[in-house]
């Protein structure tokens, strides 16, 4: 089949399969691959009533980046396609590669713009798929990692699609030359400081000398892994439901320990993936299995890695974002008239209420403090109340305590000292906490 017709028909059928009423966002760097993708969608728009938008992310990593924005905008103007660009600043976490940080930042921008059921389309091809699979092998990835990139998947409020995965880089270049397309050459693509570039320039040419169809073979293996992963996913979903903890999105340690070691590892990874968390390295998984699952019931172990904290309380295993900084020793003076912003807690506000809350005539000299230990509310230790209320141990020193003239008067949404409570249908003041986003 003619290459031009084959590529056209691939995009044409893709749009028919996934809906011509959808908004299609083209991820456009201006490089060879994305120029081909944009050209193909523009061609298909001549026969289908497509809604097309282009999004370009300016990473600011190249001295020519701003000039590239202008070139991309000009190309979209020629094709009469809406063009959106956003400049970002890359923040590197400790031990993170620039490649990965740029990718994460880029996809974060994509997620900002797409609306319900929109499809963002990237120009990844068969060589990219093969490189990704080899990278995952070199990282010691499991089945899910080796499944590499799917043709389409859920992403943010819509979908992320890669309709060109069956075509090689050489085929896309031939198409670009046949259609006299011009493209941006990013000089960073020549730098072997980036792992993917090293594989592309040194390793794959060597492999292709011995196995000319290596990219196709790797892509086929990735597909087999994806199919196996999908089948396992159905099975694991049922297993996760059977070992759920006492609270939403938790696992029961007791039920987890009834599984074999291999099953424990797989279920933990699947559970984390289900909630959108990154997976632990092998050494971290070892700590989870040995230190967390076998800790005494009175212990509160925690294992952390970038972006994730795994905690245990009694029989429940919790996965959560890292807690933000919080000074539990601070004492905040509050006049109640304006909301009080507290780092690591949220926004504390006072509002009028009828028939409950604190008596406003008695609420004088208000301070907001946090648990230090030994506080008493009524006839019981505050610690006992916290246990009865089910407040998790690592959150207890983040619960604001309302003091009036140095005496504990209220715990927002939980408890009010009888001395300060309104009687009958009198007007009162209640306290609410709005969590930080």
């Amino acid at each position: 089949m003619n290459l031009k017709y084959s590529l056209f028909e691939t995009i044409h059928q893709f749009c028919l399969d996934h809906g011509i009423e959808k908004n299609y966002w083209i991820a456009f760097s201006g490089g060879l691959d994305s120029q081909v993708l944009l050209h193909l969608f523009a061609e298909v728009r001549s026969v289908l009533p497509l809604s097309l938008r282009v999004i370009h992310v300016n990473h600011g990593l190249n001295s020519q980046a701003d000039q590239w924005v202008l070139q991309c905008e000009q190309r979209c103007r020629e094709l009469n396609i809406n063009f959106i660009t956003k400049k970002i600043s890359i923040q590197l976490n400790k031990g993170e590669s620039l490649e990965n940080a740029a990718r994460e930042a880029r996809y974060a921008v994509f997620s900002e713009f797409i609306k319900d059921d929109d499809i963002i389309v990237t120009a990844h091809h068969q060589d990219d798929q093969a490189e990704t699979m080899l990278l995952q092998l070199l990282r010691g990835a499991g089945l899910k990692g080796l499944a590499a990139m799917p043709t389409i998947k859920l992403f943010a409020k819509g979908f992320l699609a890669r309709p060109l995965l069956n075509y090689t880089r050489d085929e896309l270049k031939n198409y670009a030359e046949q259609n006299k397309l011009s493209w941006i050459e990013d000089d960073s693509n020549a730098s072997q400081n980036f792992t993917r570039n090293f594989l592309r320039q040194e390793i794959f040419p060597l492999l292709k000398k011995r196995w000319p169809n290596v990219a196709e073979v790797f892509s086929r293996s990735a597909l087999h892994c994806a199919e196996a992963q999908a089948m396992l996913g159905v099975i694991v979903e049922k297993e996760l439901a059977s070992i759920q903890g006492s609270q939403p999105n938790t696992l029961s340690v007791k039920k987890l320990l009834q599984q074999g070691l291999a099953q424990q590892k797989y279920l933990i990874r699947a559970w984390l993936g289900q909630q959108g968390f990154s997976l632990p390295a092998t050494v971290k998984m070892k700590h989870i299995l040995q230190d967390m699952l076998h800790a005494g019931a009175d212990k509160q172990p925690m294992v952390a890695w970038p972006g994730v904290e795994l905690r245990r309380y009694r029989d429940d295993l919790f996965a959560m974002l890292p807690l933000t900084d919080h000074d539990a020793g601070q004492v905040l003076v509050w006049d109640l008239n304006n909301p009080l912003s507290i780092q690591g807690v949220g926004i504390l506000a006072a509002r009028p209420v009828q028939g409950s809350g604190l008596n406003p005539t008695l609420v004088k000299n208000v301070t907001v403090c946090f648990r230090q230990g030994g506080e008493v509310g009524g006839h019981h230790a505050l610690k006992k109340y916290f246990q009865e209320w089910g407040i998790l141990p690592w959150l207890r020193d983040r619960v604001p305590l309302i003091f009036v003239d140095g005496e504990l008067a209220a715990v927002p949404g939980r408890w009010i000292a009888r001395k300060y409570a309104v009687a009958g249908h009198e007007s009162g003041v209640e306290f609410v906490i709005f969590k930080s986003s």
Side-chain angles (χ1 to χ4, degrees):
M1 183 186 293
N2 177 275
L3 176 62
K4 183 175 181 179
Y5 176 78
S6 174
L7 280 162
F8 175 90
E9 189 55 32
T10 293
I11 301 302
H12 181 262
Q13 192 60 50
F14 173 84
C15 294
L16 290 176
D17 290 343
H18 297 287
I20 59 174
E21 76 286 353
K22 299 278 179 63
N23 290 319
Y24 288 89
W25 293 79
I26 314 300
F28 188 54
S29 67
L32 168 65
D33 308 334
S34 63
Q35 286 282 5
V36 169
L37 183 69
L38 180 63
H39 187 268
L40 285 166
F41 267 91
E43 291 286 292
V44 171
R45 189 184 57 174
S46 67
V47 295
L48 293 177
L50 298 179
S51 171
L52 300 182
R53 294 173 173 82
V54 162
I55 183 164
H56 173 87
V57 179
N58 180 356
H59 301 86
L61 298 174
N62 192 293
S63 60
Q64 301 180 70
D66 292 338
Q67 181 61 36
W68 293 343
V69 173
L70 298 177
Q71 290 177 241
C72 291
E73 185 176 18
Q74 175 60 30
R75 180 56 178 152
C76 290
R77 193 178 296 117
E78 293 168 358
L79 296 172
N80 193 28
I81 298 175
N82 291 333
F83 176 80
I84 294 172
T85 184
K86 182 168 182 177
K87 189 169 186 176
I88 59 175
S89 177
I90 306 298
Q91 302 295 327
L92 280 179
N93 295 319
K94 185 178 180 180
E96 186 178 24
S97 71
L98 182 60
E99 286 174 287
N100 185 66
R103 179 188 180 280
E104 292 297 321
R106 183 165 61 251
Y107 279 84
V109 171
F110 296 162
S111 68
E112 287 178 26
F113 285 94
I114 68 170
K115 306 302 181 186
D116 291 347
D117 286 336
D118 286 1
I119 300 178
I120 187 155
V121 189
T122 68
H124 290 99
H125 45 69
Q126 194 175 87
D127 293 79
D128 291 321
Q129 182 79 291
E131 290 163 8
T132 300
M133 187 175 189
L134 184 52
L135 276 171
Q136 295 287 48
L137 277 170
L138 293 171
R139 291 168 181 158
L143 193 58
K144 185 176 182 179
L146 296 179
M149 299 180 287
T151 302
I152 190 166
K153 68 174 184 178
L154 292 172
F155 175 75
K157 296 179 180 178
F159 301 88
L160 171 65
R162 303 176 178 98
L164 300 180
L165 287 177
N166 288 330
Y167 294 90
T168 65
R169 182 181 289 110
D170 287 343
E171 287 174 320
L172 298 192
K173 187 175 182 181
N174 287 342
Y175 178 92
E177 291 171 344
Q178 288 174 21
N179 290 276
K180 297 181 171 52
L181 302 181
S182 59
W183 57 87
I184 292 167
E185 291 285 4
D186 185 345
D187 52 14
S188 69
N189 289 333
S191 172
Q192 292 192 12
N193 290 329
F194 298 111
T195 304
R196 189 177 286 270
N197 289 348
F198 173 73
L199 293 179
R200 184 178 300 159
Q201 296 165 24
E202 298 291 334
I203 303 304
F204 271 96
L206 189 62
L207 290 173
K208 285 180 178 179
K209 285 182 180 179
R210 183 71 179 237
W211 300 280
N213 63 338
V214 63
E216 181 184 350
V217 171
F218 272 40
S219 295
R220 188 162 64 243
S221 292
L223 179 60
H224 293 328
C225 290
E227 291 171 345
Q229 175 64 29
M231 182 184 69
L232 276 175
V234 174
I235 298 170
V236 167
E237 192 170 340
K238 295 178 181 178
E239 287 293 319
L240 286 176
S242 72
I243 61 170
Q244 183 175 322
S246 65
Q247 298 195 44
N249 299 320
T250 64
L251 293 182
S252 164
V253 173
K254 181 179 179 181
K255 293 175 182 177
L256 195 55
L257 286 172
Q258 292 172 358
Q259 308 289 325
L261 187 60
Q263 288 93 326
Q264 289 174 21
K265 292 179 183 179
Y266 197 89
L267 288 167
I268 290 170
R269 290 193 182 101
W271 169 64
L272 290 166
Q274 200 176 67
Q275 298 180 74
F277 290 113
S278 63
L279 302 185
T282 301
V283 66
K284 294 292 184 181
M285 179 60 77
K286 185 177 180 180
H287 284 306
I288 294 168
L289 298 173
Q290 293 181 354
D291 303 335
M292 296 197 78
L293 299 190
H294 292 280
D298 59 333
K299 304 298 182 183
Q300 298 163 25
M302 191 265 284
V303 176
W305 58 95
V308 188
E309 286 182 356
L310 213 63
R311 295 177 181 267
R312 178 182 171 181
Y313 180 53
R314 295 175 179 167
D315 186 49
D316 288 334
L317 200 61
F318 295 80
M320 54 192 285
L321 294 172
L323 291 173
T324 53
D325 291 338
H326 169 62
D327 178 9
Q330 62 189 315
V331 177
L332 306 170
V333 178
W334 189 28
D335 64 7
L336 306 191
N337 294 322
N338 298 300
L340 186 65
S341 180
I342 308 172
Q343 183 180 7
V345 175
I347 297 173
L348 179 63
R351 63 188 182 190
V353 65
Q354 204 70 26
S356 64
L358 266 65
N359 188 329
T361 64
L362 301 177
V363 180
K364 308 294 182 184
N365 302 319
V366 175
T367 54
V368 179
C369 306
F370 299 89
R371 183 170 176 265
Q372 302 298 307
E375 295 87 355
V376 176
H379 301 294
H380 299 288
L382 197 58
K383 178 181 179 180
K384 183 176 180 181
Y385 280 129
F386 277 17
Q387 291 172 340
E388 291 176 355
W389 295 333
I391 298 175
L392 298 169
W394 51 89
L395 298 179
R396 291 175 186 172
D397 69 352
R398 293 169 183 257
V399 176
L401 307 179
I402 310 298
F403 284 80
V404 175
D405 287 326
E407 183 179 3
L408 181 61
V411 180
R414 299 284 186 177
W415 174 85
I416 295 175
R418 185 176 299 175
K419 174 180 176 179
Y420 295 100
V422 299
H425 297 287
E426 296 176 352
S427 297
V429 175
E430 70 173 0
F431 302 98
V432 291
I433 303 170
F434 301 96
K435 297 297 182 183
S436 302
S437 57

